[in-house]
Coordinates of all heavy atoms in Angstrom, one line a residue:
F314 N 125.1 102.0 117.7 CA 123.7 102.0 117.3 C 123.6 102.1 115.8 O 122.8 101.3 115.2 CB 123.0 103.2 118.0 CG 121.6 103.5 117.5 CD1 120.6 102.6 117.9 CD2 121.3 104.5 116.6 CE1 119.3 102.8 117.5 CE2 120.0 104.7 116.2 CZ 119.0 103.9 116.6
F315 N 124.3 103.0 115.1 CA 124.1 103.1 113.7 C 124.7 101.9 113.0 O 124.2 101.5 111.9 CB 124.8 104.4 113.2 CG 124.1 105.7 113.6 CD1 124.7 106.7 114.3 CD2 122.7 105.8 113.3 CE1 124.1 107.8 114.6 CE2 122.1 107.0 113.6 CZ 122.7 108.0 114.3
A316 N 125.8 101.4 113.5 CA 126.4 100.2 112.8 C 125.5 99.0 112.9 O 125.4 98.2 111.9 CB 127.8 99.9 113.4
M317 N 124.9 98.8 114.0 CA 123.9 97.7 114.2 C 122.7 97.9 113.4 O 122.1 96.9 112.8 CB 123.6 97.5 115.7 CG 124.7 96.9 116.5 SD 124.8 95.1 116.1 CE 125.9 94.6 117.5
S318 N 122.2 99.1 113.3 CA 120.9 99.4 112.6 C 121.1 99.4 111.1 O 120.3 98.9 110.3 CB 120.4 100.7 113.1 OG 120.2 100.7 114.5
L319 N 122.2 100.0 110.6 CA 122.4 100.2 109.1 C 123.1 99.1 108.5 O 123.0 98.9 107.3 CB 123.1 101.5 108.9 CG 122.4 102.8 109.4 CD1 123.3 104.0 109.2 CD2 121.0 103.0 108.8
A320 N 123.9 98.3 109.3 CA 124.6 97.1 108.8 C 125.5 97.4 107.6 O 125.7 96.6 106.7 CB 123.6 96.0 108.4
S321 N 126.1 98.6 107.6 CA 127.1 99.0 106.6 C 128.0 100.1 107.1 O 127.5 101.0 107.8 CB 126.3 99.6 105.3 OG 127.2 99.9 104.3
P322 N 129.3 100.0 106.9 CA 130.2 100.9 107.6 C 130.1 102.3 107.1 O 130.2 103.2 108.0 CB 131.6 100.3 107.3 CG 131.4 99.5 106.0 CD 130.0 98.9 106.1
V323 N 130.0 102.5 105.8 CA 130.0 103.9 105.3 C 128.7 104.7 105.9 O 128.9 105.8 106.4 CB 130.0 104.0 103.8 CG1 129.9 105.4 103.3 CG2 131.3 103.3 103.3
P324 N 127.5 104.2 105.7 CA 126.4 104.9 106.3 C 126.5 105.1 107.8 O 126.1 106.1 108.4 CB 125.2 104.1 105.9 CG 125.6 103.3 104.7 CD 127.1 103.0 105.0
A325 N 127.0 104.1 108.5 CA 127.2 104.2 110.0 C 128.1 105.3 110.3 O 127.8 106.1 111.2 CB 127.6 102.8 110.5
L326 N 129.3 105.4 109.7 CA 130.2 106.4 109.9 C 129.7 107.8 109.6 O 129.9 108.8 110.3 CB 131.5 106.2 109.2 CG 132.5 105.2 109.8 CD1 133.7 104.9 108.9 CD2 133.0 105.6 111.2
A327 N 128.9 107.9 108.4 CA 128.4 109.1 108.0 C 127.3 109.6 109.0 O 127.3 110.8 109.3 CB 127.7 109.0 106.6
A328 N 126.5 108.7 109.5 CA 125.5 109.1 110.4 C 126.1 109.5 111.7 O 125.6 110.5 112.4 CB 124.5 107.9 110.7
T329 N 127.1 108.8 112.2 CA 127.8 109.2 113.4 C 128.5 110.6 113.3 O 128.4 111.5 114.2 CB 128.9 108.2 113.8 OG1 128.2 106.9 113.9 CG2 129.5 108.5 115.1
A330 N 129.1 110.8 112.1 CA 129.8 112.1 111.9 C 128.8 113.2 111.8 O 129.0 114.3 112.3 CB 130.6 112.0 110.6
A331 N 127.6 112.9 111.2 CA 126.6 114.0 111.0 C 126.0 114.4 112.4 O 125.9 115.6 112.7 CB 125.5 113.5 110.1
L332 N 125.8 113.4 113.2 CA 125.3 113.7 114.6 C 126.3 114.5 115.4 O 126.0 115.5 116.1 CB 124.9 112.4 115.3 CG 124.5 112.5 116.8 CD1 123.2 113.4 116.9 CD2 124.3 111.2 117.4
Y333 N 127.6 114.1 115.3 CA 128.6 114.7 116.0 C 128.8 116.2 115.6 O 128.9 117.1 116.4 CB 129.9 114.0 115.9 CG 131.1 114.6 116.7 CD1 131.3 114.3 118.0 CD2 132.0 115.4 116.1 CE1 132.3 114.8 118.7 CE2 133.1 116.0 116.8 CZ 133.2 115.7 118.1 OH 134.2 116.2 118.8
L334 N 128.9 116.4 114.3 CA 129.1 117.7 113.7 C 127.9 118.6 114.0 O 128.1 119.8 114.3 CB 129.4 117.7 112.2 CG 130.7 117.0 111.8 CD1 130.8 116.9 110.3 CD2 131.9 117.8 112.4
L335 N 126.7 118.1 113.9 CA 125.5 118.9 114.2 C 125.5 119.3 115.7 O 125.2 120.5 116.0 CB 124.3 118.0 113.9 CG 122.9 118.7 114.2 CD1 122.8 119.9 113.3 CD2 121.8 117.7 114.0
A336 N 125.9 118.4 116.6 CA 125.9 118.7 118.0 C 127.0 119.7 118.3 O 126.8 120.6 119.2 CB 126.1 117.4 118.8
R337 N 128.1 119.6 117.6 CA 129.2 120.6 117.8 C 128.9 122.0 117.3 O 129.4 123.0 117.9 CB 130.5 120.1 117.1 CG 131.4 119.2 117.9 CD 132.2 120.0 118.9 NE 132.9 119.1 119.9 CZ 133.5 119.6 120.9 NH1 133.5 120.9 121.2 NH2 134.0 118.8 121.8
S338 N 128.1 122.1 116.3 CA 127.9 123.4 115.6 C 126.5 124.0 116.0 O 126.1 125.0 115.4 CB 128.0 123.3 114.1 OG 127.1 122.3 113.6
M339 N 125.7 123.3 116.8 CA 124.4 123.8 117.1 C 124.3 125.2 117.7 O 123.5 126.0 117.3 CB 123.6 122.8 118.0 CG 122.2 123.1 118.2 SD 121.2 123.4 116.6 CE 121.4 121.7 115.9
S340 N 125.2 125.5 118.6 CA 125.2 126.8 119.3 C 125.5 127.9 118.3 O 124.9 129.0 118.3 CB 126.2 126.8 120.4 OG 125.7 126.0 121.5
A341 N 126.4 127.6 117.4 CA 126.8 128.6 116.3 C 125.6 128.8 115.4 O 125.3 130.0 115.0 CB 128.0 128.1 115.6
M342 N 124.9 127.7 115.0 CA 123.7 127.9 114.2 C 122.6 128.7 114.9 O 122.0 129.6 114.2 CB 123.2 126.5 113.8 CG 124.2 125.7 112.9 SD 123.6 124.0 112.7 CE 122.1 124.2 111.8
Q343 N 122.5 128.5 116.2 CA 121.5 129.3 116.9 C 121.9 130.8 117.0 O 121.0 131.6 116.9 CB 121.3 128.7 118.3 CG 120.5 127.4 118.4 CD 120.4 126.9 119.8 OE1 121.3 126.6 120.4 NE2 119.1 126.9 120.2
A344 N 123.2 131.0 117.2 CA 123.6 132.4 117.2 C 123.4 133.1 115.9 O 123.1 134.3 115.9 CB 125.1 132.4 117.7
I345 N 123.7 132.4 114.8 CA 123.5 133.0 113.5 C 122.1 133.3 113.2 O 121.7 134.4 112.7 CB 124.1 132.1 112.4 CG1 125.7 132.0 112.6 CG2 123.8 132.6 111.0 CD1 126.3 131.0 111.7
A346 N 121.2 132.3 113.6 CA 119.8 132.5 113.3 C 119.2 133.6 114.2 O 118.2 134.3 113.8 CB 119.0 131.2 113.6
S347 N 119.7 133.9 115.3 CA 119.2 134.9 116.2 C 120.0 136.2 116.2 O 119.7 137.1 117.0 CB 119.2 134.4 117.7 OG 118.4 133.2 117.8
G348 N 121.0 136.3 115.3 CA 121.8 137.5 115.2 C 121.1 138.7 114.7 O 120.0 138.6 114.1
P349 N 121.7 139.9 114.9 CA 121.0 141.1 114.4 C 121.0 141.3 112.9 O 120.1 142.0 112.4 CB 122.0 142.2 115.0 CG 123.3 141.5 115.2 CD 123.0 140.1 115.5
L350 N 121.8 140.5 112.2 CA 121.7 140.6 110.7 C 120.8 139.6 110.1 O 120.7 139.6 108.8 CB 123.2 140.4 110.1 CG 124.2 141.4 110.6 CD1 125.6 141.0 110.0 CD2 123.8 142.8 110.2
A351 N 120.1 138.8 110.9 CA 119.2 137.8 110.4 C 118.0 138.5 109.8 O 117.5 139.6 110.3 CB 118.8 136.9 111.5
E352 N 117.5 138.0 108.7 CA 116.3 138.5 108.0 C 115.0 138.2 108.8 O 114.8 137.1 109.3 CB 116.2 137.9 106.6 CG 114.9 138.4 105.9 CD 114.8 137.6 104.5 OE1 115.7 136.8 104.2 OE2 113.8 137.9 103.8
H353 N 114.2 139.2 109.0 CA 112.9 139.1 109.7 C 111.8 138.7 108.8 O 111.2 139.6 108.1 CB 112.6 140.3 110.5 CG 113.6 140.7 111.5 ND1 113.7 140.0 112.7 CD2 114.6 141.6 111.6 CE1 114.7 140.5 113.5 NE2 115.3 141.5 112.8
S354 N 111.5 137.5 108.7 CA 110.5 137.0 107.8 C 109.9 135.7 108.4 O 110.4 135.1 109.3 CB 111.0 136.7 106.4 OG 112.0 135.7 106.4
L355 N 108.8 135.3 107.8 CA 108.1 134.1 108.3 C 109.0 132.9 108.1 O 109.1 132.0 109.0 CB 106.8 133.9 107.6 CG 106.0 132.6 108.0 CD1 105.7 132.6 109.4 CD2 104.7 132.5 107.1
A356 N 109.7 132.8 106.9 CA 110.5 131.6 106.7 C 111.7 131.6 107.7 O 112.1 130.5 108.2 CB 111.1 131.7 105.2
H357 N 112.2 132.8 108.0 CA 113.3 132.8 108.9 C 112.9 132.4 110.3 O 113.6 131.7 111.0 CB 114.0 134.2 109.0 CG 115.0 134.4 110.0 ND1 114.7 134.9 111.3 CD2 116.3 134.0 110.1 CE1 115.8 134.9 112.0 NE2 116.8 134.4 111.3
E358 N 111.7 132.9 110.7 CA 111.2 132.5 112.1 C 111.0 131.0 112.2 O 111.3 130.4 113.2 CB 109.9 133.3 112.4 CG 110.2 134.8 112.6 CD 111.1 135.0 113.8 OE1 110.9 134.3 114.8 OE2 112.0 135.9 113.7
L359 N 110.4 130.4 111.1 CA 110.2 129.0 111.1 C 111.5 128.2 111.2 O 111.6 127.2 111.9 CB 109.4 128.6 109.8 CG 108.0 129.0 109.8 CD1 107.4 128.7 108.4 CD2 107.2 128.5 110.9

Side-chain angles (χ1 to χ4, degrees):
F314 171 74
F315 289 126
M317 285 288 192
S318 302
L319 301 177
S321 181
V323 176
L326 281 175
T329 304
L332 176 62
Y333 182 83
L334 293 175
L335 180 63
R337 269 282 168 191
S338 59
M339 184 53 62
S340 291
M342 295 171 62
Q343 287 181 295
I345 294 173
S347 303
L350 299 180
E352 178 185 357
H353 296 285
S354 63
L355 177 60
H357 173 263
E358 289 300 317
L359 292 175

